[in-house]
Amino acid sequence: MNGKTYTNSFAAITRFLDRYGIGIVLLIAAVCYMLSFNPRLNGSDDATYLTLAQALVARGSYCKANLVGCPPETYYPPLFPLLLVPLVAVFPNWPANIPLLMLIPFASAMAGLWVTWELVKSLLENRYLALGLLLALAVNYVSAWFTFILMTETLFTLLTMGALVLLAKIKTVERPLRYCGVAALLICAAALTRSVGIALWGATLLY
């Protein structure tokens, strides 16, 4: 009787995790990120991204607004500042707009976790091990830190993982060219987020 009860309980837990496991991990991650919420600028790359977004709003050009003559920006890729533009345009007051701008790295982090889940569960036979790894990724200090700082890491992770998920499915789908096309767009977006994304092209060709 006890053995049967244990078996039934274990089966119920596994069914619960199969149905709600990823949702629970995302909820735990969201709570951890909100508890660590500390909107701020460190005065390095994050300040540069904000300045570039402000230049796009005020001048309509991608330039270094903090320098005389506003010379063109050639070091930082443009995608992340472009994503900041709508929020900066609607809410231009700094630093009051910083919490709203943090929505972009936060949303990217949450979406990136879900996409990472799609990749990890396809690579591991044990679904519960995949959940455990995702939970460890979600609640570690580095993930929480990058979620509420105006940097590109969470967006780059989302785009990179999205491309990897699609590339992993190419050999198992009927229309691989469609997946290749979307993966190529995500890789381009990743390269426009961080220059290191260019390396994804070489890895993709080798794959």
Side-chain angles (χ1 to χ4, degrees):
M1 184 65 179
N2 291 335
K4 184 177 181 180
T5 301
Y6 174 81
T7 301
N8 291 338
S9 300
F10 182 78
I13 293 172
T14 56
R15 288 194 301 269
F16 180 82
L17 289 176
D18 288 340
R19 179 174 297 183
Y20 303 111
I22 181 58
I24 294 172
V25 171
L26 292 177
L27 179 61
I28 292 173
V31 170
C32 289
Y33 298 159
M34 294 304 296
L35 289 175
S36 64
F37 182 60
N38 182 23
R40 68 205 183 280
L41 291 181
N42 286 341
S44 55
D45 289 349
D46 52 354
T48 300
Y49 291 128
L50 178 57
T51 302
L52 289 170
Q54 291 171 334
L56 285 167
V57 172
R59 300 169 177 263
S61 59
Y62 194 64
C63 62
K64 302 174 182 178
N66 58 327
L67 299 181
V68 177
C70 198
E73 176 59 64
T74 57
Y75 183 76
Y76 290 89
L79 183 58
F80 190 70
L82 284 171
L83 292 178
L84 297 177
V85 163
L87 290 175
V88 171
V90 177
F91 305 100
N93 295 328
W94 180 86
N97 60 359
I98 295 299
L100 291 172
L101 298 179
M102 295 299 175
L103 290 175
I104 293 177
F106 173 74
S108 299
M110 297 303 297
L113 285 175
W114 181 79
V115 175
T116 301
W117 161 247
E118 292 295 320
L119 178 64
V120 172
K121 74 177 182 179
S122 68
L123 298 176
L124 297 177
E125 295 182 359
N126 191 319
R127 184 184 183 92
Y128 311 112
L129 176 59
L131 273 176
L133 290 175
L134 189 71
L135 180 61
L137 172 65
V139 301
N140 76 78
Y141 170 79
V142 175
S143 296
W145 191 79
F146 278 117
T147 299
F148 283 117
I149 189 169
L150 213 58
M151 303 278 272
T152 59
E153 276 73 8
T154 59
L155 177 61
F156 182 75
T157 299
L158 169 62
L159 296 170
T160 302
M161 288 299 168
L164 292 177
V165 167
L166 294 174
L167 291 173
K169 293 182 178 181
I170 287 176
K171 296 179 181 180
T172 61
V173 296
E174 296 181 357
R175 298 180 179 179
L177 289 180
R178 180 180 300 178
Y179 283 76
C180 286
V182 178
L185 290 176
L186 292 176
I187 293 173
C188 287
L192 290 173
T193 302
R194 294 178 66 88
S195 300
V196 71
I198 297 173
L200 290 172
W201 282 113
T204 301
L205 293 175
L206 290 174
Y207 177 78

